[in-house]
Structures are given as C-alpha cells and as structure tokens.
Amino acid sequence: MDFSYITDNQKRFIDELTEFLRIPSISTLPEYKESVQQAAEWTASRLQHAGIEHVKVMETNGHPIVYGDWLHAEGAPTVLFYGHYDVQPAEPLDLWNSQPFEPVIENERIYARGATDMKANVLLPVIACETWLKDANTLPVNVKFLFEGEEEIGSPSLAGFMEENKELLRADAAISADSGRMEEDQPASMVSLRGLAGVQIDVRSAGGDLHSGLYGGAVPNSAQALARILDSLKHEDGTVAVEGFYDDVMERSDEEKETINATFSSDETFQQKAGVDRVYGEPGYTPGEQTLIRPTLDINGLWGGYQGIGVKTVIPAESHAKVTCRLVPNQDPEHVIDLIRRHVERHTPAEVDALVFPLEGKAYPYMLPEDHPGLKAVEEAVQHVEEKSPHQLRIGGSIPVAGLLQQLLDVHTVQLGYSVFDEGMHAPNEFYRLSQFEKGQKVYTRLLQELAEYLE
Amino acid sequence: MDFSYITDNQKRFIDELTEFLRIPSISTLPEYKESVQQAAEWTASRLQHAGIEHVKVMETNGHPIVYGDWLHAEGAPTVLFYGHYDVQPAEPLDLWNSQPFEPVIENERIYARGATDMKANVLLPVIACETWLKDANTLPVNVKFLFEGEEEIGSPSLAGFMEENKELLRADAAISADSGRMEEDQPASMVSLRGLAGVQIDVRSAGGDLHSGLYGGAVPNSAQALARILDSLKHEDGTVAVEGFYDDVMERSDEEKETINATFSSDETFQQKAGVDRVYGEPGYTPGEQTLIRPTLDINGLWGGYQGIGVKTVIPAESHAKVTCRLVPNQDPEHVIDLIRRHVERHTPAEVDALVFPLEGKAYPYMLPEDHPGLKAVEEAVQHVEEKSPHQLRIGGSIPVAGLLQQLLDVHTVQLGYSVFDEGMHAPNEFYRLSQFEKGQKVYTRLLQELAEYLE
C-alpha cells in the first residue's frame, strides 16, 4: 500500500477536520448537549463515508457512543479502534487568540478546542480504513470502531456500555488514538497508565455549628476529627498508611525502572516544573517511579467551618475532604475505596461520625504486556513511516478506556496518537500539527497491515 | 435615697431609651459610621443632662469613646462605669416582627436592636447619678464613665485608649453594665469570663496547585501537612497538646467547682442544647467546668484545594485553618499565640512551609476575686432592691473590657446588668423588659451608696 491516496486527499481531510472542530461538543456543559449529539452524528457519517458498515449512534444514559465495523477479512484478527469525539470547555475565552470553535490554520498548525484532544487523532484510523478500502477494496484485518462522547467527564457510561455489548465489541486487540508523544520527532506508545479511585469523607460532630464560648471544651469538633482521620491516611515518610493499600501493587522490573529513570527529567527540573523546594514521596523510589508506576493518595480538597476574613468563634458541626488515589496494576479501584472506608472507620474518633462515599471517575490502572503483538505491530508501522522506533511511555495520569477494555472485555490496548504534549490540551490556543496529521494517517494505514501479521 | 425620682421620671427614661434605640449604631458596617458617631454624641449629651462633667467624645482609630466624670466626693472612692453604645447588625430583617430601629413597646417589653445589648443597661448608671444629683445635689462616690462604640467588633481601639489615658481612667473599681442574668427573678453578677486568642495557620507546599496524575507521589501536599499540624494540636482524650498550654492555668477551688456544677445544666440537657450525642472534653472536668473555667482550643474553620461537586485531581498548594483558644486566668493571649506558633514550627512536616499569624479579637481572661469589696457592694444593693442575693455567674464567652481594665489599669470590674439571657441578644426581635429597666435604675442608685461604704 503506498500513500498516494493520503497525499492526494490531504486537503479534503484537513477540511473535514476543520468541519469536525467547528462542532462545540463540550460534554461537561448541559447546554452543549445538542452539539455533542451533532458530533456523534458527524463521526458516524464520516465512518460510513470511509466504507465502514453497521454504523450506529447508540444511546447511553449520557452522551451517545458511535459504533461501526467492517468484518470481511475472513480468518484475520479483529481490531477495535477507540477514540472520543467530545472536548473540554474552552474557557478562559479571553486567552484565546482566535475563536475556539472557528479553526484557524497558521504555520501548518490548526488551532481549535479539540484539535489535539482528540478530534484529529479520531480521524487517523478512519482515514486509514478509507485508504485501504478505496485503494485495495478490502482491509487486512477486521475492524470495529468505538467512539465515545464522555471521555472528558470520566467516561461514566462506558463500563455499562461495554458490559451490555460484549459480543459486539469482541476483538483481539484495541488501538487507542487518545495518545501522543513528548516531542515532535520522537514517536511514542503509551504502555502504562495509573488508575483512579476517590472518596469524599464527611465528618459530623453536632447538629449545627456551636459557639465556642458557650460550648468550647465540652463538645467534639468535626474539623479536629477530620484532621485526625486525614493524618492517619499517610505515614510521615510519604507512604500510604491505609491498611492493605500496597498488597496488590505490582512490583516492576529493574529494566522498566531503568527505562523510566533514563528518560525522566532530573530531580532539579522536576522540582522546578512542580514549583517545590524538594522532592518528597515514597522512600526507595525515584520521582519518575513515584509518579509513573507507584500508587498515591492525595487530599484534593478540604473544608469546614468559617473561612472568611477575621475571627468567627464557631465550632464547625461538619467538615469534609476529597481524597483520590492514583493506582497501579493490580490495584482495583473498588477494593481501594473499600480499604479507605475501613481505614476511616477504624480511625474515626469515637466522639464524631464519619461517612465515606465513592467519587465518580474511577479508572482501572493499565499496563500493556511488554511482548504484546499489537505493540510489535505499532513499532513496525512507526519504524516504516517515521524511520524511528517509538518510546514506551508510562503515564501517571488516568484514561479509563484501556483499563476497562482489559477488565471487562479481556482486550489489551495499544495506545498510539499523534498529539504532541506541547499542543495545549485542555488549555487556550489548543492546536495540532498538520505534519503529524498526515504522518499519523500513513502510520495507521501501515498499521492495519502490521496488525494482520503480528496479531495472528 | 428613696426612688421617687426614678418612679416620677420613668416615662421620660423610657422615651429617652426609645430615642437612643432609634440610632442604628452598627459598628461593624462602614455605612453606619455616622450613626455610630451620632450615638456617641447622644450618649455624651445624656451624660451632661444627668449632671456629669468634663464630658468628651474622644476620637480613636475607630469609633469614638465617650468619657465623663464627676469628682467632687472628696475622700470617697472613684468608680468607673463601663458600657458600649454600638450594636450588632439587625439581619436577617425578615425575621423581625417590627423594624429593628423603630422601637415598639408591647407587654412591658421594648423591642429593638440594641435594647438588651446594651443601650438600656448603658442608661442605668447615668440615671442613678442623675437621681443622686437631682435629689441630693451630690454623689456618694466619685464617678467616671467610659462608653465605647466598638464592643461588637472586639474592642480593637480600647487597649490603646486605656494605655494613653491611664490617669484619666484611674479608679478604685469598675462596674460594667454589659451583663445580665439567666432568669428574670434571679439576680446575677458575672464574676468570671474566658479570654480569647486566635491564629491562622497557612501551609504552602508548592508554587501552585499540581495535577495529581503528573506529580502525585513525588510532591508534598499542603492539605496533608495541615492535617498533621492540626492533629498534633490536641490529644486523643480532648486535652490541648500545645506544649506549655496549661502551665499558667489557674486551678479553681473545689467550692467554685461545686457552685458551677450545682447551677449548670445536666449532661443530658447540655447534649440536647448542643445537638451532640455525647459530651466530650478534658478528662477530669464536668461540662460546666470545661466550658466555664477550663481553657480550650478549637479549629473554627479549615480550607484548601477543590471543594466543589465531583472530582478535581488537584494537589492543593495552599491549605489554611483558623484556630482560637478560650483562655482562663492566668493565661496571656499573646503568650498562648506564641506557644501555638512554636508548636506549629515543631510539628510542621519538613516538606512544607507553615506560617502562623495572630487573629484580631484577643481578650484577656477575667476573674473577680471572691472577696472583692465591689462585689459586696453589688450584693447589698441588689439585696436591698430585689430582696434576693445575686448568683455569681461564670461565663465561657469573652468580653474584652474586664480583662483589659485589670491588665492595663489594675482595676477590677464588677459586672452587673439587667438583661435577661432570653432577650434575643444579637438575634431578631431583641427586646428588654421595662420592669428590669426600672429595677436596674434603683439598684444602681443604691449601688453608689454601697460602693462608698465598701470600697473605703
């Protein structure tokens, strides 16, 4: 397969991307519900235009999921392509140099909300399939597409959808285009993500706030009790004190640690970026290991009582905290929430009541096996087009899909996207490099062929 | 001295009180600055009308202080009368049955903001002096008046004013009319108040909030560090863990504790009023002792990071808490703040910075010596008019004046007011009983004579 179809049609692909970016598919804001629907329909129609069959806009409790497939490669493996068509809000608007939903091309970059996260990447597997179907009238593998509209709000409908459509989504491997690289000229595949589990802790010490002159000394204080509970969550040395927290944690190989440490920034650079005076964390691990392959527990917020100017001598009846954990294989978000709940029960002072309830937005940790054939296929395809081998990236953040696919469908996900991490994801003046767009189309086109070979 | 002058002029006194109550002298709201000034001038003019000399409206950095004296009782003791002419804001207005600054008399009660706290009480010593000066053309003691306009905002100018006017304010005893009783038919003198000292604790862990996916595990968390600091402030059993906190605390006599426990509500009633399931506090002390004669430390508020709906995986760079202590003799507010600062320094985790700064509104604790002759004088005067002996009330709250007079002028304060604690102080539909008004005038008139005898 040569890439002449891609070259010949590049102007049209950019026009299509521009059209796609004009739809303000902001999943988090209810007033954009229709636009999100419109983006789903646009995606479905684009799939059909590429020659994909059985294209459906499928309803969920939230925004719809777009499905499509082409299953005529008899005896060949089946690949599931994942992406999301929703975007983040564009605020703060005054920091944009152009309108976020009126794409502008300048210096071979297209500026718009959703450009790099991830509408351009969404088109890569679609264009790759179109290229094969137009040029060769066939595909080397069977393909399925799963495009969701809720990634930016934590994919709340995705797990349920997968459970209900296990047969429809069955595949030998998944490829997620919701990915990228650190530098423009260094390709990368994300092979490890941390999971996420969170709780809110609500402490109550009385029926209402009390005057410290009248009651102070003889009644409990919710804020004092919350401090005790929160303090009990971590040891002084930075390790998590929740009983059983580390039990399931996968210890990573020395080689993996070496790889991480070789590519991670120096402590000095890391401190500078974080704006901290010193690194601090689990003893025995480097900052790279701590942030990429070790689990964490962080208080994200806390509040209670009087927070204004001056003095108000109140004994707060209620105090609250939000706590989230980044998880690593083989930790389970539900189990971690349960461990925290039990820990809080054991560490709640007898004079108050504390409730722990799970926060939305849990994600399973994910790690692609080093020897997964899909990774080999990606390496070959990237090498062929870019003449460089992709780095294996570990990410400290969380994206639900890969963990869910593994947990619920037993499918591994190779993550290959053409975003570069300087392209303003979630920020004003988000953009995407058009050179990456074309390169990504070529790599994905080649990838179909490599997948046919390696997934056998 | 009989009380016919008081009886004959009662209607006028009520009219004057009504006039006084019409002035919205809300010290806390800048837009009422002129009204506060007007109330000061009204007070000064009322003093002059009573026959008091050298009446001055004296400027401070805040609202003015009204001074006046009558010093012709040669060889007799000098008594300083204290009161405040400012009031609390009237909000919430929709809970008032009448306009807060349009006094209404119903069922022998006068309804208005400031009625019981404390404009009616302000008039008691003024009317008492007027009664003597009209009837006898003299006073049995020398008198001085100190009426401030900032009590409701914590008396920020009072200490400075006292320091600058030590000679002017010199007296053998002070009588504060900013006081009251629990029940209408049981007279009381407040003989003990707790002091107040407060700090804000600001913890900083980074230059800005950090993403827990990118940095979680290798950077400190200000909220976690704050929890550690706050937890260190108190022991599990409810005692304060700040080193040196109890060093200066005066241990009270068994008799005093017996008095307290005999009159304090039952644990059950106390719990019900507080809306708590169990009493909780310093072991070895009853709730009455804990709230009236023992010092406390309470977190009044805490905040940091994300407090909204759902999840935001932020590592908060800054977290804050407000902490105040109720103090007892012989604790010093400045010293307690210093102890807290040193404690926080010792208990701040090495990975963060913590700052402690004092909050406004400190107050010295106060205790009138049991055998103070002013208390005897009050007892005699009350007994004469009410035919009952006043209870000695201990109060867990804080009023700055008595502690300041003792600390700065070495003058003890006897506290006798005719408010009843069900009269809606600081609340909607505040009122004052007119029967108490007249009774208070008579007691204060008699009191001048008793003071002449006992203070010798």
Side-chain angles (χ1 to χ4, degrees):
Chain A
M1 179 68 50
D2 74 6
F3 300 130
S4 57
Y5 182 82
I6 288 173
T7 321
D8 295 349
N9 288 279
Q10 200 54 222
K11 199 189 156 303
R12 171 167 63 87
F13 297 154
I14 293 170
D15 288 346
E16 286 167 354
L17 173 59
T18 304
E19 203 178 280
F20 195 15
L21 288 171
R22 277 212 187 94
I23 309 170
S25 47
I26 305 168
S27 50
T28 196
L29 304 176
E31 60 267 37
Y32 288 90
K33 193 173 163 38
E34 265 181 51
S35 298
V36 180
Q37 180 76 30
Q38 195 192 337
E41 278 155 19
W42 190 94
T43 308
S45 135
R46 185 65 190 81
L47 276 173
Q48 274 170 325
H49 178 78
I52 301 305
E53 303 172 345
H54 310 118
V55 175
K56 295 184 264 195
V57 175
M58 297 173 79
E59 294 310 311
T60 71
N61 284 332
H63 299 302
I65 282 173
V66 180
Y67 173 85
D69 60 33
W70 187 98
L71 305 171
H72 304 294
E74 258 177 57
T78 301
V79 178
L80 177 72
F81 290 105
Y82 166 84
H84 65 87
Y85 61 83
D86 62 324
V87 303
Q88 283 275 320
E91 280 74 16
L93 295 177
D94 56 327
L95 295 186
W96 283 80
N97 297 327
S98 54
Q99 294 300 312
F101 296 105
E102 291 172 17
V104 166
I105 294 174
E106 248 179 54
N107 299 325
E108 295 296 297
R109 296 166 165 200
I110 185 161
Y111 288 85
R113 167 57 81 234
T116 192
D117 184 19
M118 62 162 286
K119 282 176 171 169
N121 287 335
V122 160
L123 291 177
L124 303 182
V126 184
I127 289 169
C129 289
E130 178 176 314
T131 300
W132 276 91
L133 290 168
K134 299 292 170 179
D135 261 23
N137 211 25
T138 188
L139 291 176
V141 288
N142 299 297
V143 297
K144 296 180 174 181
F145 287 88
L146 169 66
F147 290 141
E148 67 160 323
E150 296 187 332
E151 196 276 339
E152 300 295 359
I153 53 173
S155 303
S157 306
L158 193 56
F161 182 86
M162 283 184 187
E163 299 254 37
E164 279 169 30
N165 295 280
K166 281 191 171 170
E167 193 47 40
L168 188 72
L169 300 173
R170 201 161 50 79
D172 298 297
I175 309 284
S176 167
D178 192 13
S179 184
R181 55 181 65 184
M182 303 307 290
E183 284 147 33
E184 186 177 355
D185 56 0
Q186 177 53 60
S189 172
M190 278 173 14
V191 297
S192 160
L193 287 161
R194 292 197 288 189
L196 188 69
V199 298
Q200 182 164 319
I201 304 172
D202 295 328
V203 176
R204 174 176 283 274
S205 59
D209 289 355
L210 295 169
H211 189 291
S212 79
L214 296 176
Y215 296 99
V219 294
N221 180 317
S222 65
Q224 189 69 50
L226 179 68
R228 170 136 304 168
I229 293 168
L230 294 177
D231 188 30
S232 78
L233 291 171
K234 290 192 92 168
H235 293 301
E236 209 165 322
D237 68 0
T239 55
V240 178
V242 172
E243 293 86 333
F245 184 78
Y246 291 103
D247 284 358
D248 299 331
V249 168
M250 179 189 286
E251 199 48 63
R252 311 290 260 263
S253 71
D254 289 345
E255 287 95 325
E256 189 173 359
K257 290 183 191 168
E258 267 170 44
T259 309
I260 288 167
N261 293 318
T263 52
F264 200 77
S265 40
S266 72
D267 281 12
E268 209 174 51
T269 312
F270 179 79
Q271 280 172 222
Q272 224 159 36
K273 267 169 43 186
V276 297
D277 295 339
R278 50 231 129 172
V279 295
Y280 169 77
E282 202 186 353
Y285 296 92
T286 64
E289 293 160 16
Q290 286 163 341
T291 53
L292 300 179
I293 59 170
R294 294 299 297 174
T296 68
L297 179 149
D298 266 302
I299 305 170
N300 305 121
L302 81 176
W303 68 101
Y306 181 68
Q307 307 177 21
I309 302 280
V311 188
K312 191 173 177 192
T313 51
V314 73
I315 302 173
E318 286 182 28
S319 295
H320 312 270
K322 286 175 193 276
V323 174
T324 56
C325 296
R326 298 286 175 174
L327 307 178
V328 299
N330 296 310
Q331 289 179 297
D332 177 89
E334 298 291 355
H335 182 58
V336 166
I337 286 170
D338 208 46
L339 291 176
I340 295 175
R341 182 182 286 115
R342 278 188 267 163
H343 176 98
V344 171
E345 274 167 18
R346 275 196 293 268
H347 290 82
T348 299
E351 67 272 14
V352 301
D353 298 311
L355 283 177
V356 172
F357 67 85
L359 293 172
E360 275 199 358
K362 72 169 185 181
Y364 289 95
Y366 182 68
M367 187 173 70
L368 183 70
E370 268 177 55
D371 56 355
H372 192 274
L375 189 56
K376 287 276 168 220
V378 159
E379 281 168 357
E380 289 296 325
V382 168
Q383 183 71 45
H384 179 83
V385 175
E386 302 201 49
E387 294 173 350
K388 267 195 178 169
S389 198
H391 278 167
Q392 297 189 4
L393 280 191
R394 279 103 186 142
I395 301 292
S398 311
I399 304 178
V401 67
L404 284 177
L405 284 168
Q406 192 201 349
Q407 288 293 320
L408 304 177
L409 303 179
D410 198 24
V411 171
H412 272 297
T413 303
V414 189
Q415 299 173 84
L416 177 71
Y418 276 77
S419 297
V420 185
F421 283 175
D422 66 358
E423 292 176 338
M425 184 171 76
H426 297 199
N429 301 314
E430 178 179 350
F431 68 94
Y432 193 82
R433 290 172 170 86
L434 295 180
S435 59
Q436 291 285 104
F437 191 38
E438 188 168 345
K439 200 156 53 176
Q441 294 160 28
K442 290 175 184 168
V443 171
Y444 262 76
T445 300
R446 178 75 185 196
L447 179 58
L448 291 173
Q449 180 181 334
E450 302 290 352
L451 287 167
E453 186 168 329
Y454 282 95
L455 289 182
E456 275 306 324
Chain B
M1 179 71 45
D2 75 8
F3 301 130
S4 57
Y5 182 81
I6 288 173
T7 320
D8 294 347
N9 288 280
Q10 199 53 223
K11 198 187 157 304
R12 172 167 63 88
F13 297 153
I14 294 169
D15 288 347
E16 286 167 352
L17 173 58
T18 305
E19 202 178 281
F20 195 16
L21 289 171
R22 278 212 186 94
I23 309 170
S25 47
I26 305 168
S27 50
T28 195
L29 304 176
E31 60 267 37
Y32 287 90
K33 193 172 164 39
E34 266 181 51
S35 298
V36 180
Q37 179 76 31
Q38 194 191 338
E41 279 156 18
W42 190 95
T43 307
S45 134
R46 184 66 189 82
L47 276 173
Q48 275 170 326
H49 178 79
I52 301 305
E53 303 171 342
H54 310 118
V55 175
K56 294 183 266 196
V57 175
M58 296 173 79
E59 294 310 311
T60 71
N61 283 332
H63 298 302
I65 282 173
V66 179
Y67 174 85
D69 60 34
W70 187 98
L71 304 171
H72 304 294
E74 257 177 61
T78 301
V79 179
L80 177 72
F81 289 105
Y82 167 84
H84 65 86
Y85 61 83
D86 63 324
V87 303
Q88 282 276 320
E91 280 75 14
L93 296 177
D94 56 327
L95 295 186
W96 284 80
N97 298 328
S98 54
Q99 295 300 313
F101 297 105
E102 291 173 17
V104 166
I105 294 174
E106 247 180 56
N107 297 326
E108 294 297 297
R109 296 165 166 201
I110 184 160
Y111 288 86
R113 167 55 83 235
T116 192
D117 184 16
M118 62 160 287
K119 282 177 172 169
N121 287 336
V122 159
L123 291 176
L124 303 182
V126 184
I127 290 169
C129 289
E130 178 176 315
T131 300
W132 275 90
L133 289 169
K134 299 290 171 183
D135 261 24
N137 210 24
T138 187
L139 291 176
V141 288
N142 299 296
V143 297
K144 296 180 175 182
F145 287 88
L146 169 65
F147 289 141
E148 67 160 323
E150 296 188 330
E151 196 276 340
E152 299 295 359
I153 53 173
S155 303
S157 307
L158 192 56
F161 181 86
M162 283 185 187
E163 299 255 35
E164 279 169 31
N165 295 281
K166 281 191 172 173
E167 194 47 40
L168 187 71
L169 300 174
R170 203 162 48 81
D172 296 298
I175 309 284
S176 168
D178 191 13
S179 185
R181 54 181 67 182
M182 304 308 288
E183 284 148 33
E184 186 178 354
D185 56 359
Q186 178 52 60
S189 172
M190 277 172 16
V191 297
S192 159
L193 287 161
R194 292 197 290 189
L196 188 68
V199 298
Q200 183 164 319
I201 303 172
D202 296 328
V203 177
R204 174 175 283 274
S205 59
D209 289 355
L210 295 169
H211 189 291
S212 79
L214 296 175
Y215 296 99
V219 294
N221 180 317
S222 65
Q224 189 69 50
L226 179 67
R228 170 137 304 168
I229 292 168
L230 294 177
D231 187 30
S232 78
L233 291 172
K234 290 192 93 168
H235 294 302
E236 210 166 321
D237 67 0
T239 55
V240 178
V242 172
E243 292 87 333
F245 184 78
Y246 291 103
D247 284 359
D248 298 331
V249 167
M250 179 189 287
E251 198 49 63
R252 309 290 260 263
S253 71
D254 288 345
E255 286 96 324
E256 189 173 359
K257 289 182 192 170
E258 267 170 44
T259 309
I260 288 168
N261 292 320
T263 53
F264 200 77
S265 40
S266 72
D267 281 13
E268 209 173 49
T269 312
F270 178 79
Q271 281 171 221
Q272 223 158 36
K273 267 169 43 187
V276 298
D277 295 339
R278 52 231 128 172
V279 296
Y280 168 77
E282 202 186 352
Y285 297 92
T286 64
E289 293 160 16
Q290 286 164 340
T291 53
L292 300 180
I293 59 169
R294 294 299 295 173
T296 68
L297 179 149
D298 266 302
I299 304 170
N300 306 122
L302 81 176
W303 68 102
Y306 181 67
Q307 308 179 20
I309 303 280
V311 188
K312 192 173 176 193
T313 51
V314 74
I315 302 173
E318 285 181 29
S319 295
H320 312 269
K322 286 175 193 275
V323 174
T324 55
C325 296
R326 297 286 174 173
L327 307 178
V328 299
N330 296 311
Q331 289 179 298
D332 177 90
E334 298 291 353
H335 182 58
V336 166
I337 286 170
D338 208 46
L339 291 176
I340 295 175
R341 183 183 284 116
R342 278 187 268 163
H343 176 99
V344 171
E345 273 166 19
R346 275 195 291 271
H347 290 82
T348 299
E351 67 273 14
V352 301
D353 299 311
L355 283 178
V356 172
F357 67 86
L359 293 172
E360 275 199 357
K362 70 168 186 183
Y364 289 96
Y366 182 70
M367 187 172 73
L368 183 69
E370 269 177 55
D371 56 354
H372 192 275
L375 189 56
K376 287 275 169 221
V378 159
E379 281 169 356
E380 289 296 327
V382 168
Q383 182 71 46
H384 179 83
V385 175
E386 302 200 48
E387 293 173 351
K388 267 193 178 173
S389 197
H391 278 169
Q392 296 189 6
L393 280 191
R394 280 98 186 146
I395 301 291
S398 311
I399 303 178
V401 68
L404 284 177
L405 282 169
Q406 192 200 350
Q407 288 295 320
L408 303 177
L409 303 180
D410 199 24
V411 171
H412 272 297
T413 303
V414 189
Q415 299 172 85
L416 177 71
Y418 275 77
S419 296
V420 185
F421 284 176
D422 66 359
E423 292 176 336
M425 184 171 71
H426 296 199
N429 301 313
E430 178 179 348
F431 68 95
Y432 192 83
R433 290 174 170 85
L434 294 180
S435 59
Q436 291 284 105
F437 191 37
E438 188 168 345
K439 199 157 51 175
Q441 295 160 29
K442 291 177 183 166
V443 172
Y444 262 77
T445 300
R446 177 76 185 196
L447 179 59
L448 291 173
Q449 178 180 334
E450 302 290 351
L451 286 167
E453 184 166 331
Y454 283 94
L455 288 183
E456 275 306 325

